[in-house]
Amino acid sequence: MFSVIIPAYNAEEFIETSVNSVLSQTYRDFELIIVDDGSQDGTYKKIAQYNDNRIKYVYQENGGVSSARNKGICTSNGEFICFLDSDDEWKENHLETLSNLIEKYENCGMYITGYDIRLHTGTIVHKSEQIFRCLDREDMKSDDAFSVLLKYGYFFNTN
């Protein structure tokens, strides 16, 4: 099972899109932990609209995104941790893709998938697959992620 952690701070404007992208996953074995990091807007009201027993809402005083992610980890019950920022969304097969990667490469410590960076207008300004195509396949199995980052630059994110 996956534990999906969304740290949220004043996320009223975007949180529904993020939550809906998790709830619409083709892979259904997950819990969704939303850690409200001291929001001062209507973030809680947006989350309270959902009636899904996979959703856990946790409130904490503002401590920053890392603190919220750590709180989510401490609250989680899943075997694998996934992060999703409150203003981002997943494609519907994200968790299924991760599950397939885990099954195929069971001894890895971290799994990544591709991503697009879009402007609010919908314009894609970056596709990670352009970088993935350049990666040496052996580097993708490296135990030293830092060296891979030095070689290719930044090609993965917390989501």
Side-chain angles (χ1 to χ4, degrees), residues 26-149:
T26 55
Y27 186 93
R28 310 295 293 165
D29 190 14
F30 64 84
E31 65 178 351
L32 173 56
I33 303 165
I34 301 161
V35 181
D36 187 336
D37 191 37
S39 294
Q40 302 296 312
D41 65 357
T43 297
Y44 173 76
K45 288 180 184 177
K46 296 287 185 175
I47 300 308
Q49 298 176 57
Y50 291 94
N51 184 19
D52 191 310
N53 61 1
R54 295 172 295 178
I55 298 176
K56 294 180 187 177
Y57 175 84
V58 178
Y59 181 86
Q60 70 173 20
E61 293 299 319
N62 183 258
V65 68
S66 295
S67 172
R69 286 186 182 123
N70 288 337
K71 180 74 162 189
I73 291 169
C74 290
T75 306
S76 70
N77 293 309
E79 185 178 358
F80 298 96
I81 303 291
C82 299
F83 296 119
L84 178 62
D85 289 345
S86 61
D87 61 346
D88 291 337
E89 63 184 292
W90 284 340
K91 293 181 180 177
E92 65 186 16
N93 65 339
H94 181 74
L95 291 178
E96 183 178 348
T97 300
L98 285 173
S99 178
N100 292 337
L101 285 171
I102 292 166
E103 188 175 309
K104 187 173 181 178
Y105 305 102
E106 61 187 46
N107 294 321
C108 291
M110 179 175 69
Y111 300 89
I112 60 173
T113 62
Y115 62 90
D116 298 339
I117 297 177
R118 289 179 197 269
L119 301 177
H120 290 289
T121 61
T123 303
I124 297 174
V125 295
H126 175 78
K127 285 180 154 287
S128 64
E129 67 187 45
Q130 295 163 340
I131 297 172
F132 289 145
R133 287 187 192 126
C134 300
L135 294 176
D136 183 302
R137 293 189 69 69
E138 289 306 309
D139 284 338
M140 291 304 292
K141 299 175 188 176
S142 173
D143 288 336
D144 186 0
F146 184 71
S147 292
V148 175
L149 282 174

